[in-house]
Amino acid sequence: EAQVTQNPRYLITVTGKKLTVTCSQNMNHEYMSWYRQDPGLGLRQIYYSMNVEVTDKGDVPEGYKVSRKEKRNFPLILESPSPNQTSLYFCASRGQWGQPQHFGDGTRLSIL
Amino acid sequence: GENVEQHPSTLSVQEGDSAVIKCTYSDSASNYFPWYKQELGKRPQLIIDIRSNVGEKKDQRIAVTLNKTAKHFSLHITETQPEDSAVYFCAAVISGGYNKLIFGAGTRLAVHP
């Protein structure tokens, strides 16, 4: 089954404690992206990757890092989380241009 | 910067009525417009999309129209059912090397029995 898998689904943690949210897709997609979803703001792009070792900032990259060492994986790293990063996060991937993005199930992060 | 505006933010209809959600985009070079439905606690899922060389597309009870001159596109849901209740997002691909997808802020649709 074609899917995008995120882990964990839920996480409550404290300010400053580094965390990583993993994302994996099994569709051999080149393009992957991270979004955060906040009430009234829709989905805002954090980082994206066009291919292995190719990443770039989206609209709200501050406080986040990513890596793309393998085609299927695109982890999101919060080196020093802060309460304003409390949000619902989605990883997505797509194939060629014009193809729809496939979203993971989301990760709800609460930073206390 | 480039943006997508979506209206209304909330929409309440009676079962069987039609619902219309409208979006405008700023990048005149945008050429791909997907619509996503997000049920409570779930991921956004594509329900329909349209490309700039087409003015209208239908899939059963849902349809999307595109007016490139005015830079707006709309989602139409006919014969609404309670299971249509969800948040709907429009999006537009902006021009550029990586064809970035910009989302509207979403419309919360409630269909009352």
Side-chain angles (χ1 to χ4, degrees):
Chain A
E1 179 189 354
Q3 59 185 2
V4 178
T5 303
Q6 292 179 230
N7 280 295
R9 294 289 316 281
Y10 305 91
L11 179 63
I12 301 174
T13 188
V14 295
T15 298
K17 186 177 181 181
K18 180 180 178 180
L19 68 90
T20 298
V21 185
T22 62
C23 175
S24 179
Q25 50 93 6
N26 62 0
M27 295 167 279
N28 201 36
H29 285 167
E30 292 184 347
Y31 180 94
M32 297 184 75
S33 182
W34 276 103
Y35 297 88
R36 62 177 287 173
Q37 183 176 20
D38 302 289
L41 297 177
L43 290 143
R44 294 181 293 166
Q45 190 179 57
I46 303 170
Y47 269 92
Y48 68 95
S49 170
M50 293 294 290
N51 212 327
V52 175
E53 302 292 1
V54 181
T55 64
D56 207 347
K57 298 177 181 178
D59 295 317
V60 288
E62 294 78 20
Y64 304 95
K65 287 175 57 178
V66 293
S67 70
R68 188 89 182 274
K69 293 183 170 52
E70 304 166 284
K71 197 171 187 179
R72 62 182 292 126
N73 296 323
F74 189 43
L76 179 70
I77 303 156
L78 285 71
E79 292 271 5
S80 182
S82 62
N84 64 10
Q85 292 177 299
T86 292
S87 188
L88 178 59
Y89 292 84
F90 286 99
C91 179
S93 73
R94 67 160 169 79
Q96 296 180 2
W97 175 87
Q99 296 301 307
Q101 294 201 23
H102 298 262
F103 285 86
D105 284 330
T107 296
R108 187 166 292 282
L109 288 183
S110 294
I111 316 291
L112 304 178
Chain B
E2 305 297 349
N3 73 311
V4 174
E5 293 190 1
Q6 183 172 348
H7 300 280
S9 57
T10 59
L11 181 58
S12 182
V13 300
Q14 290 296 125
E15 182 177 1
D17 288 349
S18 295
V20 180
I21 302 170
K22 298 181 179 181
C23 291
T24 59
Y25 58 98
S26 57
D27 183 5
S28 57
S30 294
N31 51 19
Y32 176 63
F33 308 90
W35 284 88
Y36 287 84
K37 175 184 179 181
Q38 187 180 27
E39 296 177 353
L40 190 61
K42 297 191 175 180
R43 73 180 82 175
Q45 292 196 297
L46 180 78
I47 54 171
I48 195 168
D49 57 10
I50 191 168
R51 303 180 194 282
S52 59
N53 59 347
V54 175
E56 183 177 3
K57 183 177 178 180
K58 287 184 179 180
D59 183 2
Q60 299 182 348
R61 294 186 298 109
I62 61 173
V64 58
T65 58
L66 172 65
N67 183 328
K68 285 202 69 180
T69 302
K71 292 192 287 186
H72 67 71
F73 57 113
S74 301
L75 178 72
H76 304 253
I77 307 174
T78 59
E79 300 172 22
T80 54
Q81 302 168 3
E83 51 264 41
D84 294 329
S85 296
V87 178
Y88 292 81
F89 292 97
C90 62
V93 169
I94 65 169
S95 57
Y98 60 96
N99 299 116
K100 179 179 178 179
L101 201 58
I102 302 289
F103 287 86
T107 296
R108 183 173 299 279
L109 173 65
V111 180
H112 301 285

